[in-house]
Amino acid sequence: SNVWYAYVDGRITLGSSGSSDLIFLTDPELDDYKPVPSPDGKQVGFFHVVDYNQGTDLTWKTQIGVMNADGSDLRYLTAPEQLNTNPQWTRDGSNRQIWTRVENYINLFGTILPTSMQVYWTAPDAQPGEEQRISAGGLWPLVFVYSGLKDGRLFVRKDGLNSYWLMTPNPNG
């Protein structure tokens, strides 16, 4: 039967097309979102909310997490200092976690606006602080990653517009 992962009541949940039973893989007291299985099906990436800070998702403090497909060996790849969201996997065989990080934002008359949103990656066995920014950086660029391609490029939205690009990752920024 086909297995799938979902967000259910703040938890990462495992299900299968052949059963109505759900297996909760993360703690019900935590809020874990956006499970995405690795291309080989051995691991699951997700993001974990540590602090809902001011109630708007751009200000949340989150971590990128990864665990084995059965929920064992859960670990966090980033520190909970910024919004790290939309985890994906590279599909070029390097098996890296990629995600979008809101590096800075401003509160303009009660409206939260990002001033820098970048794409990062790291190995699934890395420690917090070992991640690398792979998009250009700087003030005001907004880059949001959607998916990795088999040739190593990433499908991204740039500058907060409906402008979509194929980006070649650059560990030097």
Side-chain angles (χ1 to χ4, degrees):
S1 66
N2 293 329
V3 299
W4 48 266
Y5 298 88
Y7 160 84
V8 176
D9 296 328
R11 298 180 274 181
I12 304 301
T13 306
L14 172 65
S16 74
S17 60
S19 172
S20 61
D21 295 332
L22 298 177
I23 300 169
F24 295 102
L25 300 179
T26 58
D27 190 308
E29 299 301 317
L30 306 177
D31 285 329
D32 299 318
Y33 295 91
K34 186 85 177 175
V36 59
S38 62
D40 63 8
K42 293 180 181 179
Q43 295 177 305
V44 177
F46 61 96
F47 78 92
H48 167 71
V49 178
V50 176
D51 183 355
Y52 285 103
N53 194 28
Q54 303 178 33
T56 177
D57 59 353
L58 292 173
T59 66
W60 291 0
K61 306 298 183 199
T62 64
Q63 295 176 280
I64 297 296
V66 68
M67 63 185 158
N68 292 335
D70 63 1
S72 64
D73 196 24
L74 185 145
R75 60 208 171 280
Y76 295 104
L77 305 177
T78 63
E81 297 166 357
Q82 294 154 304
L83 174 65
N84 296 286
T85 189
N86 200 47
Q88 303 292 327
W89 293 89
T90 55
R91 301 203 177 278
D92 61 358
S94 65
N95 201 39
R96 293 182 178 157
Q97 277 278 274
I98 52 177
W99 67 93
T100 301
R101 174 178 287 172
V102 175
E103 294 180 332
N104 296 296
Y105 59 88
I106 60 171
N107 186 333
L108 188 62
F109 306 109
T111 301
I112 304 296
L113 299 170
T115 59
S116 181
M117 200 160 66
Q118 301 297 321
V119 179
Y120 281 74
W121 72 6
T122 197
D125 60 350
Q127 298 296 313
E130 294 178 359
E131 64 269 22
Q132 293 178 298
R133 183 174 59 214
I134 56 172
S135 55
L139 188 60
W140 292 109
L142 307 176
V143 183
F144 190 89
V145 66
Y146 286 102
S147 183
L149 281 71
K150 287 186 178 183
D151 68 5
R153 294 178 299 167
L154 306 176
F155 181 59
V156 300
R157 183 183 73 223
K158 189 171 182 314
D159 295 329
L161 307 171
N162 287 329
S163 175
Y164 297 89
W165 300 79
L166 291 176
M167 181 185 92
T168 301
N170 182 350
N172 298 318

